[in-house]
Amino acid sequence: MFLIFLRSLVFNVLFYAVLVCLAIVALPTFALPPRAMLTVAEWWAKATLVLMRVICNIKVEFRGTEKIPQGPLVIVAKHQSFWETFVLPGFFNRPIFILKRQLMQIPVFGQFLVKTGMIAIDRNAGVKALLDMTRRAREAVRSGRQLVIFPEGTRRAPGAEPDYKTGFAQIYSSCGVPCLPVALNSGLFWPRRTFMRYPGTLVVEFLDPLPPGLPKDEFLSRVQTAIEEATGRLVEAGRKEQEQLIGSAPSYTPAER
C-alpha cells in the first residue's frame, strides 16, 4: 500500500502541474471562440490518462462509443469521481454541463465555465431554478450542443444506494432529443475526498440510447435500471481485479456513501 501512496503522490503533483501549465496556455483562448478553450481541456484529459497509466497503473477502457448518437443529445451519466467531469466531454460535440453555481466563483476556472457556456444552478432556489435550468438546457441542445447531466446531483461512492433526482427527466422531455445513459466504475480508482489513486481497469460504458418522447415514469425507470445494472457489473469486476492486484478493494466510509 505504501507504493500506491507514493505513486498517488507523484501523480497528483504532476496532475496539478500539468493543469497549471495548460491554464497558462489557455489564457489566450479567452479571446477566441469557446472551441479553442475546450480543445485545451481535451489536452488536459488526454495528459491525465497517460499519467494514470504510467504512474498509477490505471488502465482506462471506453466501451460502446459506437452507440453515441450524432446531433443534439442528452447524456445521463453515473457520477462517482471528479475524473468523469473532465474526461467525458471529449466524446461529445460542444458538450455542456449543468453544475452548481459555486463553481462559477472559482478564479479563472469559473471564467472558463462561463466562457464555454456551462449552465449553473442555485440548488436553494427551488422551482424557479429548475425552470431556468430547463429553459437554458433546451436552448443549448436545440442549438446543436450535447448536454451532460449527473442525475444524482453529486458524486456517489461505488456501492452506495442510488439517489436519482427527477429534474433531469423534465429536461429530457423539454429537449425532445435522444438520451444516452452512461455507466462507469471510476470511484474505485479515483475516489472522492482522497488523493489516493488505486490500480486496475477503469471502465466507462456508453449504453443503448433511449428515444425521445418517453413518458416521464418510464424514462426514469429505464434510465436508472440501465445505469445501475451496468455500473454494478463494472464495479464488481473492478473490485475483483483490485483484489488480485493489491489484495483487497479500497473501502469507503459511511459518509462517502
Short mmCIF file of all heavy atoms in Angstrom, two decimals, residues 102-111:
data_model
loop_
_atom_site.label_atom_id
_atom_site.label_comp_id
_atom_site.label_asym_id
_atom_site.label_seq_id
_atom_site.Cartn_x
_atom_site.Cartn_y
_atom_site.Cartn_z
N GLN A 102 -21.68 27.65 -7.33
CA GLN A 102 -20.46 27.99 -6.59
C GLN A 102 -19.21 27.79 -7.43
O GLN A 102 -18.20 28.47 -7.23
CB GLN A 102 -20.36 27.15 -5.31
CG GLN A 102 -21.41 27.50 -4.27
CD GLN A 102 -22.69 26.71 -4.44
OE1 GLN A 102 -23.05 26.33 -5.55
NE2 GLN A 102 -23.37 26.44 -3.33
N LEU A 103 -19.26 26.86 -8.39
CA LEU A 103 -18.08 26.61 -9.22
C LEU A 103 -17.76 27.80 -10.10
O LEU A 103 -16.61 28.01 -10.49
CB LEU A 103 -18.31 25.36 -10.09
CG LEU A 103 -18.43 24.03 -9.33
CD1 LEU A 103 -18.74 22.90 -10.31
CD2 LEU A 103 -17.13 23.72 -8.58
N MET A 104 -18.77 28.59 -10.43
CA MET A 104 -18.55 29.76 -11.26
C MET A 104 -17.75 30.84 -10.53
O MET A 104 -17.24 31.77 -11.14
CB MET A 104 -19.90 30.36 -11.70
CG MET A 104 -20.73 29.45 -12.57
SD MET A 104 -19.99 29.22 -14.19
CE MET A 104 -21.34 28.52 -15.13
N GLN A 105 -17.66 30.72 -9.23
CA GLN A 105 -16.98 31.74 -8.42
C GLN A 105 -15.49 31.44 -8.22
O GLN A 105 -14.77 32.25 -7.63
CB GLN A 105 -17.68 31.86 -7.07
CG GLN A 105 -19.14 32.26 -7.19
CD GLN A 105 -19.91 32.15 -5.89
OE1 GLN A 105 -19.38 31.68 -4.88
NE2 GLN A 105 -21.16 32.56 -5.89
N ILE A 106 -15.02 30.29 -8.71
CA ILE A 106 -13.60 29.95 -8.59
C ILE A 106 -12.79 30.78 -9.59
O ILE A 106 -13.11 30.80 -10.78
CB ILE A 106 -13.38 28.45 -8.85
CG1 ILE A 106 -14.17 27.61 -7.85
CG2 ILE A 106 -11.89 28.10 -8.77
CD1 ILE A 106 -14.11 26.12 -8.11
N PRO A 107 -11.76 31.50 -9.14
CA PRO A 107 -10.96 32.32 -10.05
C PRO A 107 -10.43 31.52 -11.24
O PRO A 107 -10.00 30.38 -11.09
CB PRO A 107 -9.82 32.82 -9.16
CG PRO A 107 -10.38 32.78 -7.78
CD PRO A 107 -11.29 31.59 -7.74
N VAL A 108 -10.47 32.09 -12.41
CA VAL A 108 -10.01 31.53 -13.68
C VAL A 108 -10.89 30.35 -14.09
O VAL A 108 -11.48 30.35 -15.18
CB VAL A 108 -8.53 31.11 -13.63
CG1 VAL A 108 -8.11 30.55 -15.01
CG2 VAL A 108 -7.64 32.27 -13.24
N PHE A 109 -10.98 29.32 -13.24
CA PHE A 109 -11.80 28.15 -13.58
C PHE A 109 -13.25 28.56 -13.81
O PHE A 109 -13.91 28.09 -14.75
CB PHE A 109 -11.71 27.12 -12.46
CG PHE A 109 -12.48 25.85 -12.75
CD1 PHE A 109 -12.04 24.95 -13.71
CD2 PHE A 109 -13.64 25.56 -12.04
CE1 PHE A 109 -12.75 23.79 -13.98
CE2 PHE A 109 -14.35 24.39 -12.29
CZ PHE A 109 -13.90 23.51 -13.26
N GLY A 110 -13.76 29.43 -12.96
CA GLY A 110 -15.13 29.91 -13.12
C GLY A 110 -15.33 30.66 -14.42
O GLY A 110 -16.35 30.50 -15.10
N GLN A 111 -14.33 31.47 -14.82
CA GLN A 111 -14.41 32.19 -16.09
C GLN A 111 -14.38 31.22 -17.27
O GLN A 111 -15.03 31.45 -18.30
CB GLN A 111 -13.27 33.20 -16.21
CG GLN A 111 -13.46 34.46 -15.37
CD GLN A 111 -13.39 34.19 -13.86
OE1 GLN A 111 -12.45 33.54 -13.40
NE2 GLN A 111 -14.35 34.68 -13.12
#
